[in-house]
Structures are given as C-alpha cells and as structure tokens.
Amino acid sequence: MKKILKRHWIGFGFWAVLYSLFALWMENAWLLFGLIVFADVFLTRFIPWGAWKKSKNPRVRDILEWIDDILFALVAVYLINLFVFQNYQIPSSSLEKTLLVGDYLFVSKLSYGPRVPNTPISFPLVQNTLPILNCKSYTDWPEWGYKRVKGLGVVKRNDIVVFNFPAGDTVALNRLNPDFYHLVEETAGGRETILSDKATYGDVIYRPVDKRENYVKRCVGMPGDSLHIVNNQLYINGTAAENPEKLQYNYYLETDGSVLTEEQFRLMNVSKSDRKLLSANIRSHNLLLYLGFKADGAGRFNPVYCLPLTQKALEIAKKIPTVKQVKIEEDEWGMTYPVGYDRTGWTRDNFGPLWIPEKGATIPLDERNLALYKRCIQNYENNVLEILPDGKALINGEPATSYTFRYDYYFMMGDNRHNSADSRTWGFVPEDHIVGKPILIWLSLDKDRSLFNGGIRWERMFRMVHTD
C-alpha cells in the first residue's frame, strides 16, 4: 500500500464531506457507496487513476490531459445543469411584454427543488436531440421515476415557471406543431393516418418527462383552485384575478387611409413579426366585413391592422391621429382543453369553470370528469384507464367510481393572451413537469434590429425576472 500523506487525507476529507452532503440532499443512502471511489483516488490508490501522466510520450500526455479536462468540464456542466440552473431562450411571444423573444435566461432549479433525472444518461446542454446528428441525446435505459429534492420554495400564484410540455409525451417528429393530440383530431383518419404516413409525419416517438420540450408561462391556477375566464377576465375561486401589468390582447386598428409608420409601431412596442395588415390580404375581406369595417365602392378597405397591445400601448394607439377606430379581437372557438370533448362550449376568451386537481383530492368518475381528468389519470399518473360502452370506468383492470389524485397540478397561461398556446389548449401541468424559475435575464437580442443598431437590448441585460 502506498504511503498516505497529510494532503491526501485533507483532499479525501474535503470531497467526502461534500459528497456526503449531496447524498443527504438526494435522500439516497446508496450514493454513499461512492465514497469508496474517493477513498481510492486519494488514499489507497489501487486503481491507477493518473497513470497517463507518467507516459514518456509528451504528445500522448497532452492529448490525455485535454480529454481529462473535457470530461471534467462535461461532468461539472451536467451536474450544474441538473441541480443548480440551466440556460433558457425565450422562443415565442406568449409571455410578451413581460419576457421578450430573444431574452436569454438563467433558470433556477433550486427555487422549487431540482428533480432527480428520469434519464440519467444523457448529453449535457441539449434537451432531447443532438444537433447535426439529429438523434436522441439520451438513452432509454435506465429510466427513473419522479423524485424532487428539497428546494428554496414552492410554486406560487403568478410565478413565471419553466416546465416540460405536458402534451409532449408523444411526438410526430416531422410535425411538432400542433401537438400530437391536436394533430390526431385535425387529421382525417386520425392516429392510424399519422402512424402509417411517415413521409409526412415522420416517426412517432415517446419522450420521458425530463426530455419533453421546455415551455415558460405564468402560473395562474394553483392545486385545488376553481378557474373561470369570462370575456378575457380571469377569475379564481369566484374572485377576479389581478391582471399582470403588461398583459396584452389582440386589437384591430383601422386608419383613415394612412399606413402606420415604423416610429408608431415602436411607440406601441409592436415587433415586425406581430404586424398584420389584414386589409392587404383579399382573403381577410370577408372577416373585415363581418367585423363591421366598411369598404368603398370599389371594395377597398382602409388599412386595418391586427396587433397585440398592452393597456399602455392601447392608449397610445387611440391617440394616433390617423387611427379611426380600435376593436378588440373577436373571441375564437378553436380547440380548447380537453381535446376531443366539445360539450363544454369553452373558447379562448370564455373558458371554464374548471377545478384544478390537487394531491389527495377525490373526484367521482362521471362522464364530464372522465373527459376533463382522463389525461391526468392515464398519462400523468400512469394508470391504465378503460371507459366501457356504458360509461363506467376500469382503472388498472378494476371497476372504479372515483379517483384520488397523486400529484398536484397547475394551470399556466401566457401574458400575451390571444397569442399563447397554454393550459386553455393542452390542459394541466403536473408537479413532476416543473423545471424551475427564471431568475435573471443575462442577454436580450432584438431580432428586428441589427446588432449595432439596437440589436442588443442593453437595458434588459442582467435584470432579475420579477413576477410582474
């Protein structure tokens, strides 16, 4: 046995304490067997961990040193990404103007407690697909169940939350939008057509919870809440919810014949991708007539725009001299949760009332509850649910007249209410899908401007992300 020096004991003691605290945090005594590795690295040295450093070939030593550094960096990044924070980019406008397209965020895993990964063997810094190679970034085995360790707090109402997309469990790789379940409803022949037509839809695959796409929305509904939207106003347990300061809706703006200028768009803070001139598209003319806009004798309309506006931007729009009238966008029926069940009559702007499941609560399994909570029972809590022709239910092969939930659930919405696919469309977010809380904007890029002409939003950099 090699001689053990004092510095070896100090190194072992330092790392053993850190590792033991990590095992305690993970609440997993089996991890303590890892102390054997630390004991061998620092003390017994039965395994020649650093034998490559003794190579007489300097080129070999240089190459192996690079490999050693890269492996250490990958492991460190992997652990930080899993348990401390990860980087996230805002890809869509659903939370504007609270968070903007082009914002880069640090998302804290510690805020709600990090999850033990479902897929522990995966490539760091990518979600589910390796770039260039276009293949899975993780292995299917082993796949662990849900476990969340203690964090600094819990999800609160109005928190902005990053979570795994609940309807992203099944994915048609060539058609990611809409989600698979809405795609089935919209496609003639449904599931069978999608599975058989790989040229159009690609392979249909399953993704574990932690490898589903990351979404970011505002948590407006908590477990046990009753949620209702009436004419765009959100109600929680019968009381009108306080609206976020930068909440926005779509509005129709008709001018006196003049087009809006770039300066006016910037005053209203409307990005180029959000500027829709409906009157320029002949296919929109019937819609304009339906909305009450008048055409001249030649069938021409004044310029009519459809723009997302905050309350502040709306007041600015009304004061533009060339704007004749402003109307809020009509309510749209569209597809709302639950997919395939149209007896609710719910729409984007008039939705609910809907009770949000909470852990330990029990519901009767009637027709309506089976429609509203089938996905929770079957997909999220991993039961085999069968609905018989007479409407009765079997859960895991046993007759059931009621069900008790094992998870808490949340209702998420975007602040850009008319341009957000959220819980109104795909339903609840289970607690095991919660990833973390955005805490810092470290970079913000404006896609409408060049890099050296306002392309970097300096005023947003290194700003904390607040609830409102």
Side-chain angles (χ1 to χ4, degrees):
M1 188 170 179
K2 298 176 181 178
K3 184 178 179 180
I4 303 176
L5 303 177
K6 183 178 179 180
R7 60 184 175 86
H8 295 148
W9 283 108
I10 292 174
F12 170 71
F14 175 78
W15 287 106
V17 168
L18 282 182
Y19 184 77
S20 298
L21 291 173
F22 176 76
L24 181 65
W25 186 34
M26 292 292 109
E27 299 176 343
N28 189 341
W30 290 102
L31 290 175
L32 293 176
F33 281 103
L35 291 173
I36 297 172
V37 176
F38 287 99
D40 189 58
V41 170
F42 289 98
L43 305 177
T44 58
R45 288 169 284 170
F46 289 123
I47 299 174
W49 301 94
W52 58 270
K53 297 178 181 179
K54 299 178 180 179
S55 173
K56 295 180 180 180
N57 188 328
R59 186 172 182 81
V60 171
R61 286 201 307 271
D62 289 343
I63 292 173
L64 292 176
E65 186 173 355
W66 271 102
I67 293 174
D68 183 63
D69 291 341
I70 290 171
L71 288 175
F72 178 82
L74 286 176
V75 171
V77 168
Y78 178 71
L79 293 176
I80 291 171
N81 196 60
L82 278 181
F83 299 113
V84 184
F85 67 83
Q86 73 178 70
N87 181 52
Y88 182 80
Q89 178 190 359
I90 298 295
S92 69
S93 63
S94 67
L95 265 173
E96 291 196 348
K97 296 296 192 266
T98 306
L99 294 176
L100 306 181
V101 174
D103 282 349
Y104 289 78
L105 313 171
F106 282 143
V107 176
S108 167
K109 302 289 187 72
L110 298 175
S111 294
Y112 306 132
R115 297 173 299 180
V116 175
N118 303 115
T119 50
I121 303 176
S122 62
F123 198 85
L125 299 181
V126 292
Q127 181 60 15
N128 47 46
T129 305
L130 282 174
I132 302 175
L133 298 178
N134 201 31
C135 63
K136 289 195 303 185
S137 64
Y138 58 95
T139 61
D140 293 317
W141 186 92
E143 184 175 334
W144 296 343
Y146 168 58
K147 180 180 179 180
R148 187 182 300 275
V149 299
K150 292 181 180 179
L152 301 176
V154 295
V155 178
K156 297 184 179 68
R157 192 185 314 280
N158 286 325
D159 276 2
I160 295 174
V161 180
V162 173
F163 55 91
N164 295 116
F165 180 39
D169 52 352
T170 306
V171 177
L173 291 177
N174 288 358
R175 292 286 298 277
L176 298 178
N177 190 21
D179 65 73
F180 180 78
Y181 301 96
H182 282 91
L183 189 62
V184 168
E185 287 295 312
E186 294 174 359
T187 303
R191 186 182 300 265
E192 289 71 23
T193 298
I194 295 170
L195 293 175
S196 61
D197 188 358
K198 289 192 175 183
T200 302
Y201 301 101
D203 290 329
V204 176
I205 65 169
Y206 166 81
R207 282 177 176 162
V209 171
D210 63 341
K211 294 305 174 186
R212 296 168 193 174
E213 296 295 336
N214 287 328
Y215 274 36
V216 59
K217 307 284 181 186
R218 186 183 297 276
C219 177
V220 299
M222 300 292 289
D225 282 347
S226 179
L227 178 144
H228 199 185
I229 302 172
V230 180
N231 296 329
N232 288 312
Q233 176 59 54
L234 174 66
Y235 292 83
I236 300 295
N237 301 322
T239 302
E242 184 177 353
N243 291 324
E245 179 186 353
K246 296 179 181 178
L247 186 74
Q248 59 181 19
Y249 300 105
N250 286 349
Y251 292 88
Y252 300 111
L253 272 68
E254 182 187 20
T255 73
D256 59 4
S258 306
V259 295
L260 296 176
T261 66
E262 181 67 24
E263 181 182 0
Q264 289 168 335
F265 281 122
R266 290 189 180 180
L267 280 173
M268 294 184 290
N269 200 14
V270 178
S271 66
K272 290 181 179 179
S273 60
D274 286 333
R275 304 170 190 175
K276 298 176 183 177
L277 181 58
L278 297 182
S279 53
N281 186 345
I282 193 170
R283 289 179 293 181
S284 299
H285 285 190
N286 287 336
L287 171 63
L288 295 178
L289 290 171
Y290 171 78
L291 293 172
F293 294 104
K294 305 295 184 183
D296 62 18
R300 293 188 296 263
F301 290 86
N302 286 331
V304 179
Y305 297 86
C306 183
L307 307 174
L309 302 174
T310 63
Q311 184 61 37
K312 180 180 177 181
L314 177 62
E315 297 304 319
I316 293 173
K318 290 178 178 178
K319 294 177 182 177
I320 295 176
T322 58
V323 172
K324 289 178 58 179
Q325 61 173 322
V326 180
K327 297 181 179 182
I328 194 167
E329 185 180 80
E330 294 281 319
D331 192 5
E332 294 181 356
W333 180 78
M335 273 199 179
T336 61
Y337 181 84
V339 178
Y341 186 76
D342 57 6
R343 297 189 183 182
T344 61
W346 296 345
T347 65
R348 177 195 66 186
D349 300 340
N350 290 276
F351 184 92
L354 176 66
W355 178 77
I356 304 171
E358 66 176 333
K359 186 185 301 182
T362 301
I363 58 168
L365 293 180
D366 53 33
E367 177 197 318
R368 187 178 180 87
N369 279 346
L370 282 170
L372 294 177
Y373 305 109
K374 174 182 177 181
R375 184 163 179 80
C376 301
I377 297 169
Q378 182 173 270
N379 295 65
Y380 303 146
E381 302 198 359
N382 299 316
N383 297 289
V384 177
L385 174 62
E386 183 181 358
I387 302 175
L388 302 178
D390 61 2
K392 295 181 179 179
L394 299 178
I395 295 181
N396 301 322
E398 298 293 330
T401 58
S402 64
Y403 182 78
T404 301
F405 292 98
R406 300 200 301 268
Y407 287 162
D408 281 328
Y409 292 81
Y410 303 89
F411 199 92
M412 307 287 184
M413 290 177 68
D415 291 353
N416 192 0
R417 291 285 165 85
H418 285 170
N419 295 297
S420 174
D422 50 37
S423 286
R424 293 169 294 178
T425 304
W426 36 254
F428 309 106
V429 176
E431 63 176 79
D432 68 328
H433 284 57
I434 301 294
V435 173
K437 182 178 182 178
I439 57 173
L440 178 73
I441 301 170
W442 64 271
L443 177 65
S444 186
L445 302 178
D446 188 342
K447 66 182 184 303
D448 290 344
R449 303 191 185 188
S450 64
L451 190 61
F452 300 105
N453 184 31
I456 300 177
R457 303 185 187 106
W458 296 101
E459 73 282 0
R460 294 184 65 80
M461 289 180 61
F462 300 105
R463 281 183 52 189
M464 301 300 291
V465 177
H466 298 289
T467 298
D468 197 349

